[in-house]
Amino acid sequence: MLIFHGFAEEVRRSRKRLGLTQEQAAEELSISVRWFQYIEEGHRIPSTTLALQMIALLEMDFPQRTT
């Protein structure tokens, strides 16, 4: 669950960086505000499709892993 908690934190940071409210983000994703809040709070895990939509909408960037 640690990986997902990092995702939830990045969702919040990215949304705020873009100046979006939870309501605006939820509307763009066609989900309820409450569902968005659950995800952003780390209480629910989005489907892969929804996670990818969130990453695109919020212009999320994750550090590349180096090997």
Side-chain angles (χ1 to χ4, degrees), residues 1-53:
M1 282 305 227
L2 273 177
I3 291 171
F4 180 69
H5 233 30
F7 178 80
E9 291 173 7
E10 187 61 27
V11 167
R12 176 174 283 134
R13 266 194 302 270
S14 297
R15 176 183 59 77
K16 288 183 176 186
R17 177 179 44 79
L18 293 173
L20 294 173
T21 65
Q22 290 178 330
E23 292 79 9
Q24 290 168 323
E27 184 176 334
E28 287 290 325
L29 295 165
S30 299
I31 61 173
S32 72
V33 174
R34 192 65 195 131
W35 183 243
F36 185 86
Q37 290 168 337
Y38 283 143
I39 294 168
E40 191 175 83
E41 292 165 1
H43 298 300
R44 297 287 187 269
I45 299 172
S47 67
T48 302
T49 300
L50 179 56
L52 292 172
Q53 290 170 336

